[in-house]
Each structure stands twice: as C-alpha cells, then as structure tokens.
Amino acid sequence: MDRALSALTAKERFAVSFSGWAADAVAPLSAFSGTVGQSIHGLVIETNEGLGGKALALQKPVAAANYHSSREITHRYDREVRAEQIKTLVAVPVVVGRNVRALLYGGLRTRSGIGDDLLRFAFSAAKSVAWEISVEEEVQRRLRSAEADRVVLERGSSPARTQELTEQFAELRDLVRLMPDEETRERLEALGEAVFGTEARGQLRSDTLSARELEVVAQVALGHRNADIAETLFLKQSTVKAYLGSAMRKLGVKGRYQAVIAARAQRLIP
C-alpha cells in the first residue's frame, strides 16, 4: 500500500494521497503521503458517506473536481478535507473478487479538471494493490494446505500422491517468489526442508530470476531508465536498482544491457 501511495504523489501527480483497509462497510484511513496535518489520520470512512463512501458503495472510482461544492456526495468529512486544503479528490476502491478491500485517495490542493490520464494512473495503482493482496492470500492459503499435507508425507503415501504434493510445493515456491515477504519465504523453506530434506532449503534463493527481477530486466530491454521503471512498476528507484543488481549477479554480468542480452539468450524475456 505504501508503494502505491508513493506512486500517486510521485512527480507531483497528486499533492496528497492516503488510504485505508476496508472491512464491514467502513475504511479507517491508516496510510498517508503528503498530508500537512493530522485531520484525516484515523478518520473512519463509512459506506455512502463522502467521496470514499460512494466509491465503497459503487465499487468504482469516483472523482470530484470541486469537492466542497459537489452535489454528488455527502459532505460529512468536509471539515477534515478542508483542513488538508484539498479541493480536488479522487477515490478508488481496491476490489479483490467482489469485495472492496481498501480505498486509495489522490488529492489536489487546487481546483482542477481530472483528466483521463490521472484517473487511469490512480486506477492502475489500485489494481496493483489488488494483485498483491490476491497473490499474498493465495500464497497463505497454499502454505496452510502444504503444512497440512506435510503430515501425509511424513506418515508415508503413494508415489503418485508424493509426486502431486511435490508439484504443489514447486508451484507454491514460484508464487512466493512474487512476494517480498521474507517471513513467508522462510516459512516455506522450513516446510520444504522438513518434508523434502535439506536440499529444499535454498531453492527459493536459486539463480532463477524472480518475477520482479524479470519485470525490471524486461523494462530495461524496452530502453526505460530506472526512474521510468519505478513509475511503471510502482517501486522506489532504489528498489529497482536492487532488483537489477540482483538480476545481474544471477546472470553473471556487470551491466544493465548485458543483463538484457543474457536474459534473452536464456529466453527469459522476449
């Protein structure tokens, strides 16, 4: 979520951005970028109240070019919004499946028309958060299942069942590579070692490029600079640099364009 907020305020797209996790028809605001005070910190957004409440109800992005005079929303939170000097506001729900899981806001401190590019960027940030939530929940679901299956393997099972569980472990390992969560990676490594032996430890730290590393190298192949890549992937430039450095080490090269050549030679990128 923090990465999405940073992306929204990068290059002065929005002067301020904030968000909150949604549950039980409310979304308490809990993450902020560019705020000038504390007025909206901890504010609980209720369904159908204000711009965010409307986004919660519709499960669609909504915007107000002139927030304080809009007739399309209730004005329950006007005092808090005015204290932040926000005049133009966009609210985008993060939808996973059929449920709103979070709200993302982008605000301007001037009355301004909200162009399609700005709306698309805010929607893209919300989709990125939704994707991360989906991956994390799928990983946790599969990890719980794998831990339950561990008992089956320890007690002995048919070769076919053992092969099936081994393949499931491999799929889970690939999913975990999409996540930056070191705790989850360690949990999977420990599980793999317990079930398959010590050779499983280290599989997550193999020379295979992670999904993010491949994304970064692919962006380099398109001629993009680190700043452009960070913007596209909703990452910090330092994170892009770290992914690229890791990819170069794994590919055994010392330059970004050498990494592209090596990745193409291995048919990792087009």
Side-chain angles (χ1 to χ4, degrees), residues 18-21 27-32 39-45 103 105:
F18 44 97
S19 65
W21 298 105
L29 300 181
S30 57
F32 312 89
S39 65
I40 61 174
H41 288 219
L43 186 65
V44 177
I45 307 301
L103 274 177
Y105 290 84

Side-chain angles (χ1 to χ4, degrees), residues 136 139-140 143 147 176 179-191 201 204-205:
E136 181 175 359
V139 165
Q140 296 301 334
L143 196 52
E147 287 169 335
V176 170
M179 299 176 60
D181 184 357
E182 187 64 25
E183 181 179 344
T184 300
R185 291 165 66 90
E186 289 292 338
R187 185 178 167 195
L188 180 60
E189 281 192 340
L191 174 64
R201 178 162 289 277
L204 292 177
R205 295 191 176 92

Side-chain angles (χ1 to χ4, degrees), residues 68-84:
H68 297 288
S69 64
S70 175
R71 297 182 179 180
E72 303 298 322
I73 60 172
T74 71
H75 289 273
R76 178 173 175 178
Y77 309 115
D78 276 15
R79 182 178 62 181
E80 292 83 0
V81 173
R82 188 172 284 110
E84 273 296 326

Side-chain angles (χ1 to χ4, degrees), residues 216-228:
V216 169
V217 174
Q219 289 291 316
V220 173
L222 294 174
H224 294 167
R225 300 170 301 170
N226 285 1
D228 301 322

